[in-house]
C-alpha cells in the first residue's frame, strides 16, 4: 500500500505540473504579463505542494484582494491617483524650473481637461480650460523665448509686434534681466499647477463617482460648501444650473486661486510688472471662437449721460434719444488683465457668454476645438516670432 500511495502521489504531482504547463501556455497566448502567469501557475502547482508562493502578486482581475475593500480617497489620495494616471512625478513638479522643464506636465494637464469635457459635457469648466490652455501655453512660450533674447533684439521685436504700447513700457521690458523675466514665466507655470491642484482632483472624483462622491468629500471637509453647491448645479441636468455651477468654478479659479499671483506679477519690480501685465492684456485674444480680445472689451475711456431729447431751439423741434448714455472707447486696452475686475469683465461680458452660446447652438464646434492639440493652438496665438523648443535646456 505504501508503494501504491507513493506512485499515486508521483502521478498526482505529474498531472498537476502538466496542468500548470497547459494553463501557462493559455495565459501566455492570452497576452497576460509574467506576474499574472506566475500567479496562475503557482496556484495550480499548490495542488501538489503548499510551498509555492508569489509575493505581492496582484489578483488576475486587477481589483482588490478577496475580502478587502479599498478605503475611500481623500483630497490627497485623489491628487496622488491623478498624478499617477497622468504619469506625473508630482514631487518633481517644480514650477521654479520654468516652462521647458515642465512642458510635459503643462501639455498633459490641458489634454486631461479636454478628455474630461469630451466624456462629460456638463463639465464646461474643463472644456473652457482646455480652450484657454492654447492661449496660456502660447504666452508661456513667448515669455520663455523673450527672456533669452538680447536687449536690442528684445526691443526690436517689441516695437514691431506691439506698436501701440507706450515707449516707457517697452523700454522696461527690453531692459529687464533674464532673471527678472524668468519670474513671470515661472509664475505662470506655478499658476497652472495651482489650478490643477485645486480643481483637477475634484474633477477626477466626479468623473469616478459622480455627485455622490463629491458629497462624501464635502461631508468630510475636503471640499468647501460653496464649491459643493457649484457641483450640485453641474450635476443637476438643468442647463441653467449647469452653466451657473461651471461659472462658479471659473470665478473660484480666477478670484480665489489666481488673484494673489496676478497681484505679485503686476507689482513685480515696479514698472516692469506693470509693463508685462499690460502687454499680456493688450495682446490677449479670446480663446473662444468668435470671441473678442481683451483690448476690445476693457477699453472704456468715459461714459457720457445723455438727455432724454435734443432740441434745436428752446421751442423745438426736438428729437428723442433712445439711449441713456454712451461709452467712449479707446483703440487699446484701458485696463490691466492682472486686475481682477478688468479680467472678470472680459470673461463675464464676452468670453463666457460666447462660450455658453456655442455650447447651446454649435456644440460640435466646441468639441472640435477641444480635440485639437494644445501645441497647435499655442502656435496660432504666438506673438514672438522665435521658435520654442521644450528641450532647449533652459530650466
Amino acid at each position: 500500500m505504501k508503494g501504491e500511495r507513493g506512485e499515486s502521489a508521483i502521478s498526482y504531482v505529474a498531472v498537476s505540473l502538466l496542468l500548470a504547463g497547459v494553463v501557462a501556455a493559455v495565459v501566455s497566448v492570452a497576452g497576460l504579463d509574467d506576474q499574472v502567469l506566475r500567479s496562475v501557475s503557482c496556484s495550480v502547482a499548490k495542488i501538489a505542494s503548499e510551498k509555492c508562493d508569489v509575493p505581492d502578486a496582484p489578483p488576475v482581475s486587477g481589483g482588490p484582494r478577496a475580502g478587502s475593500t479599498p478605503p475611500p480617497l481623500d483630497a490627497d489620495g485623489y491628487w496622488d491617483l491623478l498624478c499617477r494616471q497622468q504619469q506625473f512625478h508630482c514631487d518633481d513638479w517644480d514650477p521654479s524650473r520654468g516652462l521647458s522643464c515642465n512642458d510635459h506636465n503643462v501639455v498633459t494637464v490641458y489634454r486631461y481637461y479636454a478628455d474630461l469635457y469630451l466624456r462629460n459635457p456638463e463639465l464646461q469648466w474643463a472644456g473652457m480650460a482646455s480652450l484657454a490652455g492654447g492661449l496660456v501655453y502660447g504666452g508661456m512660450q513667448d515669455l520663455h523665448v523673450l527672456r533669452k533674447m538680447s536687449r536690442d533684439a528684445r526691443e526690436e521685436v517689441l516695437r514691431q509686434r506691439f506698436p501701440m504700447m507706450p515707449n516707457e513700457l517697452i523700454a522696461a521690458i527690453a531692459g529687464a534681466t533674464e532673471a527678472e523675466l524668468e519670474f513671470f514665466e515661472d509664475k505662470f507655470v506655478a499658476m497652472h499647477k495651482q489650478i490643477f491642484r485645486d480643481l483637477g482632483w475634484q474633477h477626477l472624483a466626479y468623473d469616478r463617482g459622480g455627485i455622490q462622491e463629491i458629497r462624501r468629500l464635502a461631508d468630510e471637509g475636503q471640499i468647501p460648501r460653496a464649491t459643493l453647491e457649484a457641483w450640485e448645479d453641474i450635476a443637476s441636468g438643468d442647463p441653467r444650473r449647469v452653466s451657473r455651477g461651471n461659472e462658479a468654478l471659473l470665478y473660484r479659479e480666477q478670484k480665489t486661486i489666481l488673484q494673489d499671483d496676478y497681484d505679485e506679477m503686476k507689482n513685480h519690480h515696479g514698472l516692469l510688472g506693470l509693463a508685462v501685465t499690460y502687454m499680456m492684456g493688450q495682446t490677449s485674444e479670446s480663446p473662444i471662437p468668435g470671441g473678442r480680445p481683451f483690448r476690445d472689451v476693457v477699453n472704456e475711456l468715459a461714459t457720457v449721460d445723455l438727455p432724454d431729447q435734443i432740441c434745436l431751439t428752446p421751442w423745438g423741434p426736438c428729437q428723442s434719444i433712445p439711449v441713456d448714455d454712451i461709452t467712449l472707447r479707446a483703440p487699446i486696452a484701458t485696463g490691466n488683465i492682472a486686475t481682477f475686475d478688468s479680467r472678470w469683465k472680459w470673461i463675464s461680458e464676452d468670453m463666457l457668454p460666447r462660450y455658453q452660446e456655442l455650447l447651446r447652438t454649435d456644440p460640435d464646434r466646441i468639441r472640435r476645438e477641444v480635440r485639437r492639440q494644445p501645441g497647435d493652438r499655442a502656435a496660432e496665438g504666438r506673438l514672438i516670432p522665435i521658435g520654442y523648443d521644450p528641450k532647449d535646456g533652459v530650466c
Side-chain angles (χ1 to χ4, degrees):
M1 294 293 292
K2 182 176 182 180
E4 291 178 1
R5 285 197 300 270
E7 292 174 358
S8 176
I10 292 173
S11 300
Y12 193 59
V13 170
V15 172
S16 298
L17 293 176
L18 177 60
L19 181 58
V22 172
V23 171
V26 173
V27 173
S28 177
V29 170
L32 300 182
D33 59 29
D34 292 340
Q35 184 80 331
V36 175
L37 174 61
R38 290 195 297 271
S39 299
V40 175
S41 299
C42 178
S43 297
V44 176
K46 280 186 176 181
I47 297 173
S49 172
E50 294 297 328
K51 296 182 179 180
C52 179
D53 292 302
V54 180
D56 300 323
V60 175
S61 66
R65 294 182 183 276
S68 67
T69 300
L73 297 176
D74 59 7
D76 290 338
Y78 269 114
W79 170 248
D80 292 340
L81 175 60
L82 181 56
C83 289
R84 291 197 305 273
Q85 286 185 349
Q86 302 304 313
Q87 299 181 357
F88 288 162
H89 297 289
C90 290
D91 295 339
D92 297 331
W93 192 351
D94 182 3
S96 67
R97 299 173 68 201
L99 175 61
S100 61
C101 291
N102 291 283
D103 189 87
H104 168 76
N105 290 8
V106 170
V107 172
T108 302
V109 165
Y110 290 135
R111 288 173 178 163
Y112 169 71
Y113 293 150
D115 290 343
L116 279 169
Y117 171 74
L118 292 173
R119 288 197 306 272
N120 308 281
E122 72 272 23
L123 298 183
Q124 297 171 3
W125 176 90
M128 193 172 186
S130 173
L131 294 177
L135 175 71
V136 176
Y137 186 33
M140 290 183 190
Q141 293 180 18
D142 281 341
L143 284 170
H144 183 80
V145 300
L146 191 67
R147 70 177 173 94
K148 297 190 298 176
M149 300 170 64
S150 68
R151 173 174 181 152
D152 290 343
R154 199 183 291 159
E155 183 171 0
E156 181 180 358
V157 167
L158 291 174
R159 292 194 183 279
Q160 287 178 351
R161 305 296 289 184
F162 314 121
M164 301 291 286
M165 278 189 65
N167 289 334
E168 294 81 2
L169 301 186
I170 288 181
I173 299 173
T177 66
E178 181 176 344
E180 288 173 335
L181 290 178
E182 183 181 358
F183 166 83
F184 297 97
E185 177 187 332
D186 295 351
K187 180 60 71 173
F188 267 112
V189 177
M191 293 161 72
H192 172 269
K193 180 181 178 180
Q194 287 176 45
I195 296 171
F196 187 61
R197 185 67 176 88
D198 181 65
L199 289 175
W201 72 266
Q202 294 186 40
H203 279 73
L204 175 60
Y206 179 87
D207 193 34
R208 296 182 79 211
I211 191 60
Q212 294 297 334
E213 180 66 355
I214 296 295
R215 290 169 181 164
R216 179 189 69 80
L217 290 161
D219 289 342
E220 295 179 359
Q222 303 288 314
I223 292 177
R225 185 58 51 181
T227 306
L228 171 62
E229 293 176 3
W231 281 110
E232 294 282 3
D233 283 341
I234 291 169
S236 69
D238 180 339
R240 292 192 178 187
R241 290 185 61 191
V242 171
S243 296
R244 184 177 67 190
N246 281 280
E247 182 176 350
L249 294 186
L250 181 59
Y251 186 89
R252 171 182 173 80
E253 167 204 315
Q254 294 294 322
K255 181 70 172 180
T256 305
I257 307 302
L258 299 182
Q259 188 53 46
D260 59 341
D261 297 288
Y262 275 117
D263 289 339
E264 285 185 41
M265 284 196 291
K266 184 179 178 182
N267 298 322
H268 185 68
H269 283 206
L271 188 59
L272 175 61
L274 183 64
V276 171
T277 52
Y278 178 79
M279 180 182 71
M280 290 181 338
Q282 178 64 22
T283 59
S284 288
E285 302 291 333
S286 176
I288 310 302
R292 292 184 294 165
F294 179 84
R295 62 186 175 275
D296 287 353
V297 178
V298 187
N299 62 349
E300 304 95 332
L301 287 174
T303 300
V304 179
D305 292 329
L306 299 177
D308 294 335
Q309 61 181 4
I310 295 178
C311 299
L312 296 180
T313 70
W315 307 276
C318 298
Q319 176 66 47
S320 298
I321 299 177
V323 295
D324 295 329
D325 55 53
I326 59 173
T327 300
L328 304 179
R329 297 185 177 274
I332 61 175
T334 56
N336 191 304
I337 201 169
T339 302
F340 176 77
D341 288 344
S342 293
R343 190 172 67 258
W344 189 251
K345 177 180 178 64
W346 181 36
I347 293 171
S348 62
E349 293 186 9
D350 187 85
M351 193 186 304
L352 189 57
R354 175 60 180 165
Y355 178 59
Q356 292 174 341
E357 177 187 4
L358 286 174
L359 289 176
R360 291 191 303 270
T361 62
D362 196 359
D364 288 342
R365 185 176 182 184
I366 293 294
R367 294 176 69 85
R368 286 195 303 270
E369 287 295 318
V370 167
R371 286 192 178 99
R372 297 180 63 200
Q373 294 301 315
D376 294 339
R377 291 200 300 271
E380 292 178 358
R382 289 284 309 278
L383 298 172
I384 307 299
I386 298 177
Y388 162 73
D389 181 5
K391 299 180 180 178
D392 65 4
V394 180
C395 296

